[in-house]
Amino acid sequence: MVFSSPVFLFLFLPILLGLYFFFPRAWRNSLLLFASLLFYAWGESKFVVVLLFSVLLNHFCGRLIQISGKSPRGKQVLVLAVTVNVMVLIIFKYSAFLINDVIAPILQATGRQSITVQPLSLPIGISFFTFQAISYLVDIYRGTAQAQQYFGTSALYITFFPQLIAGPIVRYKDVATQFVKRTVCLDDFAVGVKRFIIGLGKKMLIANTVAITVDQIFALPANQLTMPVAWLGITCYTLQIYFDFSGYSDMAIGLAQMFGFRFLENFNYPYISQSVQEFWRRWHISLSSWFRDYLYIPLGGNQVSTGRTYGNLLVIFFLCGLWHGASWTFIVWGLFHGAFLALERAGLGAKLAGWSRFFRHTYTLLIVMMGWVLFRAETLSSAGAYIAAMFGFSRIDDLQISANSYLSPGLVLVMIVGFIGSTPILPYLLSSYRPQWIERRRIESNLVSSASVAMEVISIFLILVLSLIQAAADTYNPFIYFRF
């Protein structure tokens, strides 16, 4: 069950909201816990036991760490709990990759009998709730968070359905007090609904539309992939992955707000960045800040020698790539970004500062889009062939496909909307000019305000209707980050 599915939109969410505001406050956490487990079990019933194991492990280990503090015993419990969390993740997500792609080639190269295994089914969201649980334990050990005394509250923190299967990664210290005391006024609820609808529109109207073209182009043989078609495909994918994942984050944040929770932002217009460093401050903020706070800084961050700092960056982004998937393409994608972060720290960043904004922005988008090729491609060889086609180095046979064959009016319109929506142009215009209009026309201020609200309501309603039409049409396209 996904947020854009008819079952969620027309059955699960309305019933849960009705029950939530009908139930006494003392019972609402229990209701949300039951609903969250039901939400997960709807599509992953066989893996509920894995989720419950994570809850049990981290609740009781958190209590032990709280009692032991920073004593040797507390550190031992922390190391043991983190190790178990990571091992569960490795078993489900990486065991087949390690055997088939790492151990098997070594055995074959040494003349021994090779082995292969079938990948295990991956519990949805295991990377997200595992990282969330690790941050909970580490924060308790550091003394920046208090262990939760009640098992039900710990369970709700890890399993809360808005962020359970695709993030954002929510740190316990940011929401701890909200489990005990939270209020939902009509204005806050309305903001949550608006945020959810905007996220739904991002997914259904933009990401799903460009995804069709992406799938078609990336399925082409290398000898049919012309430069214009290759650039169209990666441009569409650049829009798809942003609106898919930021759309999910918007929906998660909006849903949480409907129930009185406040999640931190996960995206901040990453495609307006003027360096790779800035991109990672704006893209998937909860993940990049997690790696910074729980791995990069403990490894010494940039407070160590220059060489070690660069090594830390490469290690962190190697792990970031591996976190996204058990594949060489993800690993190389992570190292690709890590290398440019190291280069920018080594002096490229200082040189970039002397360039114009246009060239800094062009450089960043070029690096990001080349990285997305690695992210989307099935193999390193296909990624290399695709990048070669982008720069006109591929060998094209007589059967050439024109980019115009993909550019329908609907796709062009959606791409234009996507370009505008991936920048803060509209918020900037509204914040810059509306106050001036009202200042110049104080007598008409109420009329201007009412007209603005009416236009906003109509726009949100239109997005909702169009998104529901798409959902009802059963245009199934799961969120990209579900597989992570």
Side-chain angles (χ1 to χ4, degrees), residues 79-191:
V79 171
L80 176 64
V82 171
T83 301
V84 174
N85 275 295
V86 173
M87 287 305 300
V88 171
L89 184 61
I90 289 174
I91 290 170
F92 280 102
K93 192 168 183 176
Y94 303 107
S95 56
F97 172 73
L98 290 172
I99 294 172
N100 297 338
D101 293 73
V102 179
I103 296 176
I106 294 175
L107 292 176
Q108 190 174 8
T110 57
R112 300 179 183 179
Q113 185 177 359
S114 183
I115 56 174
T116 58
V117 297
Q118 292 297 318
L120 296 174
S121 297
L122 184 65
I124 290 179
I126 187 171
S127 296
F128 286 95
F129 65 72
T130 299
F131 270 34
Q132 190 158 300
I134 290 174
S135 72
Y136 171 68
L137 298 174
V138 174
D139 286 348
I140 294 172
Y141 179 77
R142 290 175 173 176
T144 57
Q146 297 293 312
Q148 177 53 240
Q149 302 299 307
Y150 300 103
F151 176 77
T153 306
S154 295
L156 178 58
Y157 163 66
I158 293 176
T159 67
F160 190 33
F161 76 91
Q163 47 76 38
L164 172 61
I165 53 181
I169 300 170
V170 178
R171 302 192 195 185
Y172 180 73
K173 61 184 180 181
D174 294 329
V175 294
T177 58
Q178 299 174 35
F179 289 108
V180 180
K181 182 180 180 181
R182 61 183 181 273
T183 58
V184 185
C185 66
L186 185 59
D187 287 344
D188 287 339
F189 184 83
V191 170

Side-chain angles (χ1 to χ4, degrees), residues 169 171 266 279-293 296 316-317 320:
I169 300 170
R171 302 192 195 185
N266 205 28
F279 174 81
W280 279 102
R281 290 194 294 267
R282 293 174 175 272
W283 176 273
H284 201 346
I285 299 169
S286 64
L287 179 66
S288 56
S289 63
W290 193 99
F291 275 108
R292 179 196 66 205
D293 294 342
Y296 182 67
I316 294 305
F317 276 87
C320 181

